[in-house]
């Protein structure tokens, strides 16, 4: 999830970059533009107006909604890492997209990976495109939830399923538009008619309500128990996570201390090496001076005149290993 969110944020940064003026773009901007085009056309070529100098991004019809969606994904990702710092445990529930249609097979096809996703909600297409660019395997679960009998029921059904699943982008889902907003399907609600249709024309509604009322007797206690259990589990998971963090911090501190000691040891070794080098140079200089003095004394004793500087001959220097010169 972290990789897909990073890609989405890069995609947003590319919005407005002029693809026809590459020479005016920096290297990083060109990289962003190239990446954004991959996402835009992961499922097919897009209309020409999305490849013009305006630099519009195909999936950013409503940038604010996209930013909300990315923020929700970040929040979910952090919650996952809090439960499992390794990031290997998949989340229990992925974001949901709800669609409705008089012909359900047509609507399902618009969201399919085999389509170009032009008939799908933009956030759904955006996520699938990012996953495809990242070469992440996609597994889609499609379920028919609610059956309708007349077209007037479509908006009401869409509202119901959207609320129950939390599929609006503000709730962490893919749906951008408010559910039940298709104007051609809106029908004025008559309360008396709806009440009669639900409670008087349906023989099973009252039976269901009676059964629900009986089962609700222990509802307050059940809710309290569930809340307590959830809180205790959350505290337990948090304690495990904090313990794991402390463990890694302790290991990091030890490693840092070891590196610091090693650096100090290297400094001391360098100092000692320099001292030895100075001592060797001083010893060599003293040996050379003693030898030159010895040669000069030998020549003096033999009645020979030493050189102007009192130095030894070239052959004698070669013998001592002070260097060699071609004569």
């Amino acid at each position: 999830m972290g990789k897909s969110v990073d890609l989405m944020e890069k995609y947003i940064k590319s919005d407005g970059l002029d693809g026809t003026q590459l020479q005016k773009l920096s290297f990083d901007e060109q990289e962003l533009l190239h990446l954004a085009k991959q996402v835009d056309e992961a499922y097919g070529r897009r209309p020409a107006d999305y490849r013009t100098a305006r630099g519009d991004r195909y999936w950013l019809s409503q940038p604010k909604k996209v930013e909300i969606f990315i923020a929700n994904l970040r929040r979910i990702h952090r919650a996952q890492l809090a439960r499992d710092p390794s990031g290997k445990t998949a989340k229990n529930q992925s974001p949901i997209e709800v669609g409705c249609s008089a012909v359900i097979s047509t609507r399902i096809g618009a969201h399919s990976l085999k389509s170009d996703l032009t008939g799908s909600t933009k956030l759904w297409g955006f996520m699938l495109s990012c996953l495809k660019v990242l070469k992440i395997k996609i597994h889609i679960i499609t379920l028919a939830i609610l059956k309708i009998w007349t077209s007037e029921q479509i908006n009401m059904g869409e509202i119901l399923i959207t609320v129950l699943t939390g599929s609006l982008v503000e709730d962490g889902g893919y749906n951008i538009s408010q559910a039940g907003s298709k104007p051609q399907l809106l029908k004025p609600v008559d309360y008396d008619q709806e009440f009669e249709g639900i409670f008087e024309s349906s023989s099973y509604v009252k039976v269901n309500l009676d059964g629900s009322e009986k089962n609700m007797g222990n509802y307050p206690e059940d809710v309290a128990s569930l809340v307590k259990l959830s809180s205790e589990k959350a505290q337990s998971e948090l304690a495990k996570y904090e313990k794991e963090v402390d463990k890694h911090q302790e290991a990091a501190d030890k490693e840092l201390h070891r590196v610091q000691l090693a650096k100090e040891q290297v400094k001391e070794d360098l100092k000692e090496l320099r001292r030895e080098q100075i001592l060797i140079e001083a010893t060599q200089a003293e040996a050379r001076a003693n030898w030159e003095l010895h040669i000069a004394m030998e020549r003096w004793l033999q009645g020979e005149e030493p050189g102007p500087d009192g130095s030894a001959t070239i052959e004698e220097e070669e013998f001592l290993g002070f260097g060699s010169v071609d004569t």
Side-chain angles (χ1 to χ4, degrees):
M1 181 179 292
K3 291 182 180 179
S4 59
V5 174
D6 291 339
L7 178 56
M8 288 179 176
E9 291 178 339
K10 291 180 181 178
Y11 181 89
I12 291 178
K13 290 180 181 178
S14 73
D15 190 33
L17 295 180
D18 185 351
T20 64
Q21 302 290 330
L22 291 178
Q23 68 276 11
K24 296 182 179 180
L25 301 179
S26 67
F27 177 78
D28 290 339
E29 288 174 333
Q30 291 183 31
E31 288 291 307
L32 283 176
L33 186 61
H34 176 70
L35 196 62
K37 286 185 176 181
Q38 285 186 291
V39 175
D40 276 339
E41 302 187 351
Y43 285 91
R45 298 280 285 176
R46 299 304 172 192
D49 58 329
Y50 288 100
R51 299 192 299 276
T52 61
R54 293 185 310 168
D56 294 340
R57 300 271 63 85
Y58 182 75
W59 299 114
L60 287 184
S61 58
Q62 297 189 46
K64 292 297 182 183
K65 297 286 187 178
V66 176
E67 290 175 4
I68 293 173
F69 179 70
I70 292 176
N72 284 332
L73 289 183
R74 282 287 187 200
R75 176 180 54 80
I76 294 171
H77 186 52
R78 286 195 297 269
Q80 281 186 260
L81 292 179
R83 292 193 299 269
D84 178 20
S86 70
K88 296 180 180 179
T89 302
K91 68 187 302 297
N92 295 329
Q93 177 62 62
S94 299
I96 294 175
E97 194 276 337
V98 171
C100 64
S101 175
V103 183
I104 193 67
S105 59
T106 302
R107 193 60 183 150
I108 291 176
H111 301 305
S112 171
L113 297 176
K114 296 180 180 179
S115 72
D116 60 3
L117 302 177
T118 55
S120 180
T121 181
K122 287 295 182 70
L123 278 181
W124 173 259
F126 184 29
M127 172 60 91
L128 294 185
S129 298
C130 289
L131 294 177
K132 185 174 181 179
V133 170
L134 292 170
K135 295 181 172 55
I136 296 175
K137 185 177 181 181
I138 303 172
H139 179 57
I140 300 175
I141 301 175
T142 304
L143 299 174
I145 302 297
L146 185 66
K147 182 178 180 180
I148 59 172
W149 284 265
T150 63
S151 60
E152 291 83 1
Q153 297 173 335
I154 291 181
N155 277 334
M156 298 295 289
E158 185 180 22
I159 293 172
L160 174 63
I161 301 304
T162 298
V163 171
L164 291 177
T165 59
S167 68
L168 281 178
V169 64
E170 289 80 4
D171 297 325
Y174 290 108
N175 289 105
I176 295 177
S177 301
Q178 184 64 42
S181 59
K182 296 178 177 61
Q184 70 275 21
L185 299 177
L186 294 179
K187 175 186 175 183
V189 177
D190 185 297
Y191 179 78
D192 293 333
Q193 289 182 0
E194 296 295 333
F195 186 89
E196 180 181 353
I198 293 174
F199 290 98
E200 296 184 15
S201 302
S202 302
S203 60
Y204 55 82
V205 173
K206 187 176 185 305
V207 176
N208 286 343
L209 289 176
D210 290 339
S212 298
E213 184 178 11
K214 183 184 297 183
N215 293 332
M216 289 291 284
N218 297 326
Y219 179 74
E221 292 79 3
D222 292 341
V223 170
S225 175
L226 180 61
V227 170
K228 181 180 178 182
L229 179 62
S230 300
S231 176
E232 291 175 349
K233 183 177 180 181
Q235 290 292 335
S236 175
E237 293 294 333
L238 179 60
K240 290 181 181 179
Y241 175 67
E242 290 176 344
K243 185 176 180 180
E244 189 70 18
V245 170
D246 291 341
K247 179 180 177 182
H248 288 297
Q249 184 63 50
E250 183 180 355
D253 290 341
K254 288 182 178 179
E255 182 63 17
L256 182 62
H257 180 66
R258 187 188 67 79
V259 171
Q260 190 63 36
L261 290 178
K263 288 173 63 177
E264 293 176 358
Q265 184 61 46
V266 169
K267 289 181 180 179
E268 290 298 323
D269 291 343
L270 288 174
K271 289 180 181 179
E272 182 63 28
L273 182 61
R274 181 56 184 160
R275 284 194 294 268
E276 291 179 358
Q277 183 179 1
I278 293 172
L279 181 60
I280 291 172
E281 291 174 351
T283 303
Q284 288 178 341
E286 183 180 358
R288 183 184 182 90
N290 291 336
W291 178 255
E292 290 176 349
L293 178 61
H294 173 71
I295 294 299
M297 290 295 294
E298 287 288 336
R299 287 180 176 178
W300 180 74
L301 291 174
Q302 295 174 8
E304 298 179 6
E305 290 294 330
D309 57 354
S311 62
T313 64
I314 292 174
E315 290 77 12
E316 290 165 339
E317 289 191 356
E318 288 180 352
F319 178 77
L320 287 174
F322 288 122
S324 62
V325 177
D326 293 333
T327 57

